[in-house]
Amino acid sequence: MRTKDPNIRQQILDTAGQLFNEHGYRAVGVELVLEKSGFAKATLYRHFKGKDALVAAYLARRGESHLAWLKQSVERAKGSKLVAIFDALEKWFRSPDFYGCSFIHAVSEYPDPGHEVRQTVDAVMGAMQDWLTELTTEEKLEQPKAKARQFLLLIEGAKLRAEATRTPAPAREAKAVAQALLNTARDCE
C-alpha cells in the first residue's frame, strides 16, 4: 500500500482552492481539479474520499490559515485588537486574491447543516468565535461571548459587503461600528 504524500495533498488542495475561489464549489468537478493539478484520479482518491471531503479539507485548511493570519495581523496592534481586525480586513479586501469569504460561499452552496462541508464551516466559525471571546475577555467586556458574536457579525458582514461592492470601504465602516461598540461597552462599566 502506498503512503500518502503530504506534498501531493497540498498541491491538490492548492489547485482545488484556486478553482473553488474562481468558480465556486459545486461548479468545480473532480475532473477539472485533476486536469489543472496534473494528478491521476487514483492519486486524488488516495488523499480524499471524494469531492465533498476535498472541499471540507480545503475549508479546514483555509480556516486555520485565515485565523492565523488575523491573529498575526493584530498581535502588535496599538489599542484594541478587536478594532485592529478591521484594518487587517481592509488590507485583504484591497488585495487581488480577495474573492469574498470562502465560508459564506460554502454555506450558500451546502445549505444542509448535517453535511460535512457545513460541519467544517461551523468548526471554523467556532474557532473564530472562541478567539473573539478571548479578545473580548482580554478587553474586560461584560458578556464576552455575546460581544464576540457581535464582532463576528461585523466581520462577516464586512466580508459580504466588500465582495458585493468590490471596495474596502466596508472594513472602515465596520471598524467605526466596532469602535462604537467598544466605547458603549466601556461607558456602561
Side-chain angles (χ1 to χ4, degrees), residues 5 7 10 34-35 54-55 62 66 78 87 89 99 101 109 112-113 126 135 139 141 144-146 150 170 178 183 188:
D5 182 338
N7 293 325
Q10 290 307 108
L34 294 172
E35 176 188 324
L54 174 63
V55 172
R62 178 78 181 118
H66 185 69
K78 291 181 168 78
D87 293 327
L89 291 178
Y99 295 97
C101 180
E109 292 191 43
D112 177 5
L135 294 181
E139 295 264 358
L141 300 180
K145 285 184 180 183
Q150 292 170 351
N183 292 345
C188 293

Side-chain angles (χ1 to χ4, degrees), residues 137-179:
T137 301
E138 284 176 20
E139 295 264 358
K140 297 181 175 45
L141 300 180
E142 287 187 21
Q143 300 178 322
K145 285 184 180 183
K147 290 290 187 281
R149 285 192 302 273
Q150 292 170 351
F151 277 94
L152 184 58
L153 183 62
L154 281 175
I155 291 165
E156 294 306 305
K159 288 178 188 178
L160 192 58
R161 290 299 303 148
E163 181 179 8
T165 62
R166 305 308 301 165
T167 71
R172 291 188 300 274
E173 294 160 358
K175 179 181 177 179
V177 174
Q179 188 62 63

Side-chain angles (χ1 to χ4, degrees), residues 49 51-54 56 112-121:
K49 65 182 180 196
K51 181 182 168 197
D52 290 345
L54 174 63
D112 177 5
H115 194 281
E116 72 180 298
V117 170
R118 277 295 298 276
Q119 290 175 347
T120 301
V121 171

